[in-house]
Amino acid sequence: MNLELLNGRVAVVTGASSGIGEACALGFARAGAKVVLAARRAERLEALVAKIEDMGGEALAVATDVTSEEAVTNLFEQALDRFGTVDVLINNAGIADSTAVDVLELDLWNKVIATNLTSAFLCAREAFRIMKPKGRGRIINIGSISARVPRADSPAYSASKWGLDGLTRSLAIDGREFNISVSQFNPGIVATEIAPGAIKLGDDLAAKAEDIADAIIHMSAIPDHLNFYEAMIVQNKIPFLGRG
């Protein structure tokens, strides 16, 4: 990893108000990148901007509903107005859900798919429009271990993450001609706000958001002609490999 490669680059991070997104934003800022922060909670974004500026970095907060085409267009327009380009996109916005199929309402299904999958498409589309003309760029989609082995009673969440994997593969192919690298990072159990109550505080199984962000920054800090296509962090003691 060569963090100097990120110095002066512009990174858009969705879901930046907490958890993995917030940790990624701080990591990019420490590496000298200019960071565009997107999430719904404006007050948290402003607090994060202040924190980054106190570190000597540059950041822009854009309150954004990433399921809205208009809001996503505005996000990238503001990024261009402030910093002139976008070099890296971290598609991190997401929600968790554990609802069995027989009681899963269509509205909830649509909400999970829109937040976890459609938002990534909308943001990637805007990023491609900026990255193609300049012949480089990097997009990292934040998936889940559920994109490899689903949990029980989570059809909407699992479908959204498997769909994200398909989107990643498709965009990686489409981006090759233009030197746009598209990849996916699949975290296991992480102590974040995405699923309140799912992780007990102090649970030694849970990864810290900073642990996950470090790996994502690593994936970003490689030469432009290389694609760190896929990565996963999984706990040793959960039954992912083999029957456990």
Side-chain angles (χ1 to χ4, degrees):
M1 175 173 66
N2 183 1
L3 291 179
E4 291 183 1
L5 293 173
L6 297 176
N7 188 38
R9 293 281 172 100
V10 179
V12 174
V13 181
T14 70
S17 60
S18 65
I20 294 171
E22 180 181 8
C24 282
L26 290 169
F28 277 112
R30 291 189 189 99
K34 302 167 186 178
V35 190
V36 181
L37 312 171
R40 295 186 183 187
R41 294 176 288 185
E43 69 287 350
R44 287 207 181 185
L45 294 181
E46 293 297 344
L48 184 54
V49 167
K51 189 172 183 178
I52 289 172
E53 290 178 343
D54 287 344
M55 296 163 44
E58 294 184 69
L60 169 68
V62 185
T64 306
D65 173 2
V66 290
T67 68
S68 163
E69 184 174 22
E70 181 179 0
V72 170
T73 299
N74 175 67
L75 167 64
F76 283 83
E77 286 177 347
Q78 291 206 39
L80 290 177
D81 287 345
R82 173 69 179 274
F83 296 123
T85 192
V86 172
D87 300 298
V88 180
L89 167 63
I90 307 298
N91 270 322
N92 171 71
I95 56 175
D97 178 68
S98 296
T99 305
V101 64
D102 54 316
V103 293
L104 178 61
E105 299 288 342
L106 180 59
D107 284 347
L108 179 55
W109 168 274
N110 287 338
K111 179 181 179 181
V112 174
I113 297 298
T115 306
N116 294 357
L117 180 56
T118 304
S119 69
F121 154 70
L122 291 172
C123 290
R125 184 178 66 177
E126 294 302 315
F128 259 68
R129 289 169 174 171
I130 297 167
M131 294 171 179
K132 281 177 68 174
K134 66 179 184 176
R136 65 171 174 81
R138 191 173 303 280
I139 298 171
I140 300 178
N141 296 323
I142 309 306
S144 169
I145 188 176
S146 291
R148 295 293 173 266
V149 179
R151 289 176 179 267
D153 295 329
S154 59
Y157 184 75
S158 297
S160 72
K161 294 302 183 179
W162 282 74
L164 186 63
D165 182 74
L167 178 65
T168 300
R169 292 170 185 267
S170 180
L171 295 181
I173 293 170
D174 295 344
R176 286 189 304 204
E177 179 182 352
F178 307 99
N179 206 34
I180 301 172
S181 300
V182 185
S183 55
Q184 184 159 318
F185 181 86
N186 294 319
I189 302 171
V190 186
T192 70
E193 299 174 11
I194 190 173
I199 308 274
K200 296 179 181 178
L201 293 178
D203 187 344
D204 60 3
L205 274 181
K208 296 179 181 178
E210 293 77 12
D211 298 329
I212 304 304
D214 284 348
I216 295 166
I217 299 299
H218 184 117
M219 294 175 71
S220 305
I222 60 175
D224 292 330
H225 67 286
L226 300 178
N227 185 1
F228 197 142
Y229 175 70
E230 186 174 38
M232 176 183 293
I233 289 181
V234 62
Q235 282 70 18
N236 285 334
K237 294 185 179 180
I238 63 172
F240 171 67
L241 298 172
R243 295 180 63 101

